Amino acid sequence: PAGVSIQYKYLLFCEGRFERWEAFDGNRTIGAATSRAGSRHSLVPPDDELDVLPAPPEPRWSAGASTPPPTPAGLAEADGTTGVSGQLSALDVGEGGSVIVVSYILPLLITRERETASWAIDWNLDSVLARRASAGRAEGKRVLWIGCPGVAVAEADRASLTEALVHYSAVPVFLEPETQKVFYTDFCRAFLWPVFHNVIKAGAYSHSAWRAYCTVNRQFADKVVEVYEPSDLIWAHDYHLLLLPSYTLRHLRTACVGLFLHTPFPSSEIFRTIPVRDELLRGMLNADVLGFHLFEYGRHFLTCCKRQMGLDLTEEQIGGSERHALPADARD
């Protein structure tokens, strides 16, 4: 818009796939320009070069702030496409620490070779997490993946697959077939998914499915505890693992946990129809940072915490007008 200072940053794409942001902290800035009759604004200076910041960026935080907000390298992909490094600046990765990325399914394509009986493994480029698989390593951080392999694995083959996944810094979680079916099909897809998209289905809730959901989240948390080292950062993804922060912090009281929701978050009127709504909210509130696609979803979450649990909530702007921190003063 005319007369408005704009901040931006270049992205590098290779063969249609996102590779990285420009390699510097801060933003480029286009100052408010005066237009001449019949002329058009030149948004890109003629001497613009990738990875070169021609002048110090303007501050994006208030002068009274004690610390600057996360840089675009840390929070620019808050819409959920970052996977690993997109929100690391919002949390604290200790010196030499790793980023433990936890998702229901590993972002890998895993098949078994019939002739050699060996495992064929490759990154699943259709996964939003796999698109940034090398981002953490590019920033000098070790990334460790935790999740289900996405294929049926016989108990006798689990050890060999676990060994093969070491080369991808991945740790598998093996679920019993019946537990996994009830967890995913009956609870996640048949119940949580519609509700989180503001659709109520009568009779969709099942207490046995809820127990399976708790069991699976506990198994994931146990695997996190097994591989966790001090100064590691734990970053969980999506509605399958809403209880993981609670189960993890029961064993790792000082762990830093983030949770990003890749679905909408329903209005409080819809969310209150969930019989286990308090348990889900407490699980999410045990995360140090919560990420949502839109501020609207974050506002819905805040309203649910206020109306369902009577919490006093605050809102703090930490970046531009589109990024906010949504802290809540409750944690188990």
Side-chain angles (χ1 to χ4, degrees):
V4 176
S5 180
I6 300 175
Q7 297 190 19
Y8 68 102
K9 200 164 188 176
Y10 291 143
L11 293 77
L12 182 64
F13 283 79
C14 179
E15 296 181 352
R17 292 198 298 269
F18 174 79
E19 290 289 327
R20 63 178 177 87
W21 289 88
E22 288 190 279
F24 56 75
D25 290 339
N27 295 325
R28 298 176 180 271
T29 303
I30 300 175
T34 57
S35 60
R36 295 187 298 270
S39 67
R40 301 184 65 180
H41 295 289
S42 176
L43 296 182
V44 181
D47 57 347
D48 235 8
E49 297 182 29
L50 185 70
D51 294 331
V52 177
L53 186 63
E58 296 179 359
R60 294 187 63 187
W61 57 93
S62 61
S66 57
T67 57
T71 63
L75 281 177
E77 285 287 307
D79 60 354
T81 59
T82 52
V84 180
S85 70
Q87 301 186 22
L88 297 185
S89 295
L91 296 170
D92 181 23
V93 184
E95 184 69 24
S98 302
V99 182
I100 302 175
V101 182
V102 191
S103 62
Y104 168 50
I105 298 294
L106 290 170
L108 297 168
L109 295 173
I110 303 174
T111 56
R112 193 73 182 267
E113 299 287 351
R114 291 186 177 181
E115 297 180 356
T116 62
S118 60
W119 295 100
I121 305 173
D122 198 3
W123 292 106
N124 180 6
L125 297 181
D126 290 332
S127 169
V128 294
L129 298 182
R131 295 172 193 171
R132 298 298 303 278
S134 62
R137 291 188 294 272
E139 296 181 4
K141 302 178 181 67
R142 188 173 75 95
V143 178
L144 183 65
W145 303 84
I146 294 179
C148 295
V151 294
V153 181
E155 189 169 354
D157 298 327
R158 292 179 178 180
S160 62
L161 177 57
T162 301
E163 183 179 355
L165 290 173
V166 170
H167 300 288
Y168 292 83
S169 297
V171 178
V173 177
F174 298 109
L175 303 176
E176 293 303 320
E178 182 61 26
T179 301
Q180 185 169 9
K181 174 185 177 297
V182 176
F183 156 78
Y184 182 72
T185 304
D186 296 352
F187 194 82
C188 291
R189 295 298 297 183
F191 178 66
L192 270 191
W193 175 269
V195 172
F196 273 45
H197 287 78
N198 291 294
V199 177
I200 300 177
K201 288 188 175 182
Y205 174 79
S206 164
H207 191 66
S208 61
W210 165 246
R211 288 199 301 269
Y213 185 82
C214 295
T215 298
V216 170
N217 273 256
R218 192 179 296 112
Q219 286 186 244
F220 270 81
D222 290 343
K223 187 62 67 174
V224 170
V225 173
E226 180 182 322
V227 303
Y228 177 84
E229 296 290 343
S231 75
D232 283 353
L233 182 154
I234 303 165
W235 193 249
H237 286 266
D238 223 358
Y239 67 104
H240 312 90
L241 302 173
L242 299 182
L243 301 181
L244 185 135
S246 287
Y247 288 135
T248 300
L249 290 174
R250 291 179 183 179
H251 302 280
L252 306 172
R253 297 298 299 178
T254 60
C256 195
V257 183
L259 174 65
F260 190 91
L261 195 62
H262 292 262
T263 64
F265 194 87
S267 65
S268 61
E269 291 79 6
I270 300 295
F271 192 81
R272 68 181 299 181
T273 65
I274 301 177
V276 290
R277 54 188 176 273
D278 287 353
E279 289 83 348
L280 294 178
L281 286 178
R282 289 193 184 98
M284 298 177 70
L285 286 170
N286 272 283
D288 294 273
V289 170
L290 291 172
F292 300 91
H293 275 293
L294 302 175
F295 177 71
E296 174 189 357
Y297 305 153
R299 187 178 69 245
H300 287 169
F301 174 77
L302 289 177
T303 304
C304 289
C305 292
K306 180 70 173 178
R307 294 181 177 178
Q308 308 291 342
M309 307 184 70
L311 299 180
D312 292 326
L313 306 169
T314 61
E315 178 182 332
E316 177 187 358
Q317 185 169 334
I318 62 171
S321 58
E322 297 179 355
R323 291 179 175 85
H324 297 73
L326 306 174
D329 62 348
R331 187 167 180 169
D332 288 346

